[in-house]
Amino acid sequence: MGHHSNWPEWVYVGVVIALMCWVGAEAWNAERLVEHIPADAEVIKVTGQQWFWTFEHEDGTKEIGELHVKVGKAYKFEIMSKDVNHSFNIHDYVVLMDAVPGRVNTVWFAPMEVGEHDIQCREYCGLIHYNMRGKLIIEDDSS
């Protein structure tokens, strides 16, 4: 008989096709992150190091542990690490990207409402890893 259930063969084929589509969609989403960065996105250099995040804006302004951005604007993060692997995560915006020494990884987002969000390191990076937090502060464009 071969099959241990009474399901017709097309059910199995359907499940396999659905899984293949899902995996394909995931890969496409990852591509999309890089492919479709808005042309007017402001670049912010994000550097992870034990045990804090540094942010450098296009105009040279630097922030440590806090990142101020404007609502309704697109931002492109160029993420790197000075020491070990870190992982830059703004959970509320589903922004997650590895910070790896010697490499620049890119991800973008556009905050849509004013507020504060946690920035975390999602990669165990050493003793004080759990303290490697930051604040994303989204401000009104008029300020």
Side-chain angles (χ1 to χ4, degrees):
M1 275 293 260
H3 291 299
H4 293 291
S5 77
N6 298 328
W7 292 351
E9 196 159 296
W10 62 263
V11 171
Y12 295 102
V13 172
V15 168
V16 168
I17 288 171
L19 276 172
M20 283 166 59
C21 289
W22 181 77
V23 170
E26 286 299 296
W28 180 80
N29 278 337
E31 277 296 295
R32 211 177 109 247
L33 288 176
V34 177
E35 293 291 306
H36 296 277
I37 296 169
D40 63 346
E42 182 186 316
V43 174
I44 295 176
K45 289 188 167 82
V46 178
T47 305
Q49 64 192 96
Q50 292 168 314
W51 279 276
F52 57 90
W53 296 105
T54 312
F55 307 99
E56 185 178 341
H57 295 264
E58 278 184 358
D59 66 3
T61 309
K62 285 190 175 149
E63 298 187 82
I64 295 175
E66 273 190 3
L67 174 59
H68 291 77
V69 296
K70 302 284 185 203
V71 73
K73 238 185 126 176
Y75 294 91
K76 172 181 161 187
F77 296 122
E78 292 185 346
I79 301 164
M80 57 206 102
S81 168
K82 277 197 171 165
D83 42 39
V84 299
N85 288 2
H86 300 282
S87 189
F88 180 71
N89 178 224
I90 306 170
H91 181 77
D92 296 343
Y93 274 96
V94 201
V95 169
L96 179 63
M97 183 55 75
D98 292 336
V100 180
R103 198 164 86 207
V104 176
N105 287 330
T106 307
V107 67
W108 73 277
F109 91 128
M112 285 307 149
E113 51 192 77
V114 171
E116 288 194 7
H117 303 274
D118 289 328
I119 296 170
Q120 296 171 299
C121 178
R122 304 292 285 192
E123 177 84 35
Y124 181 74
C125 59
L127 205 55
I128 317 179
H129 157 76
Y130 65 89
N131 253 353
M132 188 163 166
R133 298 179 175 276
K135 258 300 171 235
L136 172 71
I137 299 156
I138 303 166
E139 298 170 336
D140 202 338
D141 203 18
S142 59
S143 60

